[in-house]
Amino acid sequence: MNDWPPLSDFPATIGRLATAEDTRANRASFLLEVNGERIGSPIEMPLPCYARFIDHESGDRQRCVLFQAEEADGKRYFGGWLLEEKRQIVGLDTDFEIVAK
């Protein structure tokens, strides 16, 4: 993992649902809401962590750092940072492959 940035460069939202302030501060990528009400619960896992985002159409895998994990309605949502594209990403757990903690 020598060519990956230090995880300490990525603040994370851990043990609670993300807030609007977390999204503004880049500690979270999304808010889970229905009709303006927050839903879901945080997923207990080590954050931040290294992962690869999987493009299911092309099969490409891009390096990313996950810094948010929440679940709602039986789905697990992850938020993170695509390292090469330098942008946030949101997807389901099936869109990511965790490679190191």
Side-chain angles (χ1 to χ4, degrees):
M1 307 304 313
N2 291 337
D3 59 335
W4 292 62
L7 290 174
S8 59
D9 289 353
F10 298 89
T13 302
I14 302 168
R16 62 181 174 77
L17 294 177
T19 65
E21 175 57 32
D22 291 323
T23 60
R24 287 190 290 276
N26 293 318
R27 291 184 298 264
S29 297
F30 61 88
L31 300 175
L32 296 177
E33 297 180 328
V34 171
N35 298 324
E37 297 291 323
R38 299 300 311 280
I39 63 167
S41 59
I43 297 171
E44 290 189 36
M45 63 180 282
L47 291 173
C49 67
Y50 299 122
R52 294 196 189 276
F53 172 70
I54 304 163
D55 182 323
H56 294 289
E57 288 183 22
S58 69
D60 289 341
R61 286 173 160 66
Q62 298 180 55
R63 296 182 318 146
C64 66
V65 173
L66 297 178
F67 50 70
Q68 181 184 9
E70 298 180 15
E71 61 185 328
D73 295 328
K75 295 180 182 168
R76 296 165 53 95
Y77 300 88
F78 291 158
W81 186 257
L82 288 174
L83 297 174
E84 279 70 40
E85 293 185 22
K86 297 182 169 70
R87 68 176 179 92
Q88 287 191 15
I89 186 77
V90 175
L92 296 174
D93 59 347
T94 56
D95 298 324
F96 297 93
E97 171 184 88
I98 295 174
V99 294
K101 300 167 185 132

